[in-house]
Amino acid sequence: MTHYTATAFVDQLKTFQSEEELEKIQRYFKTGKGDYSEHDQFMGVRMGQVFELAKAFEPMEPGEIEQLLESPIHEVRAGAVSIMDYQARNRKTPGSRKKELFELYLRRHDRINNWDLVDRAAPHVVGGYLWDKPRGILYQLARSENLWERRTAIVCTWFFIRKGDVADTFAVGEILIDDPNEIIQKAVGSWLRTAGDKDSRRLLEFLDQHAAGMPRTALRYAVEHLEDAQRKYYLGLKNSGD
């Protein structure tokens, strides 16, 4: 009988450790002084293996998941948010559990503290839960001083975009449009682009209003799927606004 405990998960995760993978991960994530991963620890496990193990541990209870989130090791926390994601995606997961996962995600956002952890869980754990509910929490997160809460605010709208609802993506994007952090700029630009794939008119209206003043990183991501002439036009607005 499998025991879906945090201890059992970590014990199995350790069997995948590799010095070669550790070197790759440390190059991939910014771990220098002052970087967002400065205080992260890594054990050297491929994310594909983390995801496979998380899938096997999908029945884990929220209390055990929270124990994984407490870990200083990045791959362990990645396992925690992956288990949360798998449960949130599963149509057999009861609404009460999805609510627990949503509340756990927000309550322990201090441990969901890197871009990949947010991106792994926010769309379904947060966005999926809020799909048929009031979404005021998104606007609180978008105005947070916490970098990762702001990223959650935009990233979780992926679920809405997939359903054809782009309103919150553009509204949250407008709040975050001047965010100085490149991690937020990349997310805003990418999600505006994806929302624009669903509703090009809304994207063009947004760009007409904001292109000249928005950060260049966000703008470049946002216009990637536009026709060449449109892309050059909006990038030109940015140049004229500098």
Side-chain angles (χ1 to χ4, degrees):
M1 178 180 176
T2 302
H3 296 286
Y4 301 108
T5 66
T7 299
F9 182 90
V10 174
D11 286 345
Q12 291 196 39
L13 194 65
K14 288 178 180 177
T15 66
F16 299 118
Q17 283 182 277
S18 158
E19 284 298 323
E20 180 182 359
E21 189 61 30
L22 179 60
E23 291 178 9
K24 290 180 182 177
I25 291 174
Q26 289 174 331
R27 286 196 302 268
Y28 182 70
F29 287 96
K30 294 183 178 180
T31 57
K33 186 173 178 58
D35 287 331
Y36 57 81
S37 296
E38 177 185 358
H39 301 295
D40 244 344
Q41 297 178 31
F42 299 89
M43 63 193 303
V45 177
R46 283 194 303 105
M47 281 301 152
Q49 292 172 314
V50 174
F51 299 156
E52 286 182 19
L53 187 60
K55 182 62 178 174
F57 274 75
E58 184 181 333
M60 184 179 285
E61 293 291 325
E64 296 291 326
I65 296 173
E66 186 166 2
Q67 288 187 42
L68 295 180
L69 287 174
E70 291 282 2
S71 175
I73 298 171
H74 187 92
E75 292 95 329
V76 175
R77 299 200 308 284
V81 296
S82 297
I83 293 168
M84 295 169 74
D85 174 70
Y86 286 129
Q87 289 189 20
R89 288 173 184 260
N90 193 331
R91 293 181 179 179
K92 295 181 180 179
T93 301
S96 58
R97 170 59 61 85
K98 292 183 179 182
K99 182 175 187 288
E100 281 187 89
L101 295 172
F102 170 77
E103 292 174 345
L104 174 61
Y105 182 106
L106 294 182
R107 181 168 55 81
R108 296 316 313 267
H109 217 314
D110 62 314
R111 308 303 301 155
I112 303 173
N113 56 356
N114 214 318
W115 65 267
D116 63 314
L117 305 182
V118 170
D119 294 7
R120 185 74 178 95
H124 284 89
V125 175
V126 179
Y129 177 75
L130 292 175
W131 168 243
D132 57 353
K133 299 174 182 65
R135 302 174 188 173
I137 184 64
L138 297 188
Y139 299 90
Q140 295 177 39
L141 293 172
R143 294 181 173 91
S144 171
E145 294 183 2
N146 183 296
L147 164 67
W148 308 115
E149 290 185 354
R150 299 200 304 275
R151 188 170 174 104
T152 287
I154 190 72
V155 167
C156 77
T157 68
W158 178 89
F159 191 94
F160 311 151
I161 296 171
R162 193 188 67 166
K163 296 283 192 178
D165 180 355
V166 300
D168 287 293
T169 303
F170 286 108
V172 171
E174 192 161 27
I175 293 171
L176 296 174
I177 197 67
D178 295 320
D179 199 289
N181 196 293
E182 188 177 59
I183 289 174
I184 302 300
Q185 293 174 24
K186 288 179 178 180
V188 169
S190 297
W191 264 247
L192 291 175
R193 180 189 67 220
T194 304
D197 291 341
K198 289 284 189 181
D199 190 336
S200 60
R201 178 187 61 82
R202 290 287 295 273
L203 175 59
L204 296 180
E205 288 176 352
F206 187 96
L207 292 172
D208 286 340
Q209 183 176 356
H210 296 291
M214 63 193 289
R216 177 162 292 279
T217 297
L219 179 60
R220 285 193 176 277
Y221 276 71
V223 302
E224 276 183 342
H225 291 178
L226 298 182
E227 294 180 359
D228 189 55
Q230 289 178 313
R231 187 167 62 252
K232 289 179 179 178
Y233 168 72
Y234 287 113
L235 290 173
L237 290 181
K238 175 60 183 172
N239 289 335
S240 65
D242 287 341

